[in-house]
Amino acid sequence: DIVMTQSPDSLAVSLGEKATINCKSSQSVLYSSNNENFLAWYQQKAGQPPKLLIYWASTRESGVPDRFTGSGSGTDFTLTISSLQAEDVAIYYCQQYYSVPRTFGQGTKVEIK
Amino acid sequence: QVQLLQSGPGLVKPSQTLSLTCAISGDSVSRSSAAWNWIRQSPSRGLEWLGRTYYGSQWYYDYAESVKSRITIKPDTAKNQFSLQLTSVTPEDTAVYYCVRDSPRKGSDFWGQGTLVTVSS
């Protein structure tokens, strides 16, 4: 199984400041046939299911604000929120969909400082 | 827009079978480019993928090793839904269960509303 490890477990950022979340996979999720990384980011707010933010490591899902940016390749990935808003308070998860079983990181809780 | 609507009991006794159903609107359970998954979430295990079914000239099934001996996921083409059965449950199976559409391009792009299932006598 591919193990996904996120860091940090939690972070507190001032409104308007940048938040950075890291995700590392235990093996590469880069699919050589199309040169895409099968890595997604999700946002989960209290009492709701996770919501897809980013797929293929860096493609924003329709309707997701452009302050959310995904980057990275192979085994190391980053989700950046460029200017934190109050509505961004949530837990963020990375997931690999390169192989089964699908696996998720443990989550990073983002709060307002 | 795809919508997944879950139904099923929120309380199951130990050793009994957990059964949930996920009704699909806006897509088809037998569309070949999608997979239909069950994922659960608990404080102790985080987000845990349980299994999936998908159609590609025949029905295919993949299950997590941790539940492989106890789980069945079944598509129902007549009702455009799929179901989860988990047998011999214990309190460790207490979790919020989600049905999820998985696309090859985007990963888990649509989620059901979630069902809290508590295993208790």
Side-chain angles (χ1 to χ4, degrees), chain B residues 21-97:
Chain B
T21 299
C22 182
I24 303 164
S25 58
D27 201 351
S28 169
V29 71
S30 52
R31 184 167 66 87
S32 59
S33 57
W36 304 94
N37 301 250
W38 287 96
I39 292 172
R40 68 184 178 183
Q41 185 174 29
S42 64
S44 58
R45 302 165 91 109
L47 285 162
E48 181 185 14
W49 178 85
L50 298 176
R52 68 177 182 177
T53 185
Y54 59 97
Y55 186 73
S57 73
Q58 65 180 66
W59 285 101
Y60 294 90
Y61 307 89
D62 294 304
Y63 297 128
E65 282 298 324
S66 60
V67 295
K68 199 167 190 173
S69 62
R70 302 191 290 131
I71 189 173
T72 304
I73 294 176
K74 271 190 196 171
D76 182 338
T77 55
K79 295 182 178 179
N80 200 31
Q81 63 186 31
F82 64 109
S83 63
L84 167 70
Q85 286 197 321
L86 190 66
T87 63
S88 305
V89 296
T90 72
E92 291 204 344
D93 294 310
T94 294
V96 177
Y97 286 75

Side-chain angles (χ1 to χ4, degrees), chain A residues 42 44 61 93 95 97 102, chain B residues 41 102 104-106 108:
Chain A
Y42 301 86
Q44 187 176 32
E61 175 67 323
Y93 296 93
Q95 179 214 35
Y97 54 104
R102 302 289 194 244
Chain B
Q41 185 174 29
D102 194 81
R105 201 161 62 95
K106 296 186 177 184
S108 305

